[in-house]
Amino acid sequence: MSDSRRPPPEVNPDQSPTVRALAHAETDEELILGSRAYCREAAREYDLDVDFSPVEWEVSTRAKRRAAAVKRPKISDAEVGDPVDWRAAAERLDESLADLRTCTLSLTWAAFESFDVSQWTAVLRHELVHVEQFQRYGTTDHGRAFEARAETVDATVRCPPFADPEYILTCADCGALVGRRYRECKLVRRHDRYRSSCCGASLTCSEPE
């Protein structure tokens, strides 16, 4: 359980009781219960074809770059757009059907604390599209089919950042943001060897104050 406490959220009478309760979550258990209840509500509202029985839930206190994620088994040859034959896949991989169909929706506590409830519910709808794709195709991605489906459920393809990056890379000419990095990497160490796509200029790397 997190020791952090969110400031009291503003009450929006237009929000459902499920959403208002989720906004007040203060423990891992409350976050899971509230998020799971909202996901069931969203599945009905947006006509998402999701079976919740094989979906497990967890809260991550260590993730820094993802607000949530769907952890799933890797099924070779699975492609978005090609419905999976779950029984055949289980036999081919020598796995139980129940284990192969089980995925875990991992919720990041820091993101929940950083976002308002509208942003958080949008994150949950984003993940529901991943679950829907996984259950239908045996895999999921952020391709065109995902983009189109995310638009129909009022979810963005990429979630906004919620953690402070260790390094910020910008274009040396116009100052445009090129990227954020949460740990030292090749791009950070050798940023002078790269060029921005906007101006073709060198990159500046700085640490946030």
Side-chain angles (χ1 to χ4, degrees), residues 63-200:
K64 293 183 177 180
R65 288 179 292 172
R66 55 172 175 76
V70 175
K71 299 179 180 179
R72 55 189 171 80
K74 181 176 176 58
I75 302 176
S76 59
D77 301 328
E79 294 184 5
V80 172
D82 184 12
V84 65
D85 183 332
W86 283 104
R87 292 191 180 279
E91 291 179 3
R92 185 176 74 251
L93 298 172
D94 194 25
E95 295 278 354
S96 75
L97 181 60
D99 288 345
L100 195 62
R101 292 190 69 241
T102 297
C103 64
T104 300
L105 213 167
S106 180
L107 312 173
T108 301
W109 183 264
F112 173 68
E113 286 190 311
S114 299
F115 295 163
D116 62 34
V117 72
S118 296
Q119 291 174 307
W120 181 250
T121 52
V123 166
L124 294 177
R125 294 194 298 275
H126 172 112
E127 299 306 327
L128 282 177
V129 175
H130 281 307
V131 174
E132 183 182 58
Q133 282 195 335
F134 171 68
Q135 292 184 348
R136 183 174 299 170
Y137 306 120
T139 190
T140 182
D141 58 25
H142 286 115
R144 292 183 178 178
F146 183 93
E147 292 181 4
R149 187 61 167 140
E151 183 177 356
T152 67
V153 303
D154 194 22
T156 59
V157 176
R158 304 288 180 183
C159 76
F162 63 90
D164 294 331
E166 294 292 330
Y167 306 94
I168 295 178
L169 297 128
T170 56
C171 171
D173 275 5
C174 69
L177 175 67
V178 174
R180 302 178 179 87
R181 291 297 181 270
Y182 295 83
R183 64 178 182 276
E184 187 176 341
C185 61
K186 181 179 178 181
L187 179 59
V188 169
R189 292 191 299 270
R190 302 181 180 180
H191 61 273
D192 55 321
R193 301 186 183 184
Y194 292 83
R195 293 292 181 267
S196 65
S197 59
C198 52
C199 301

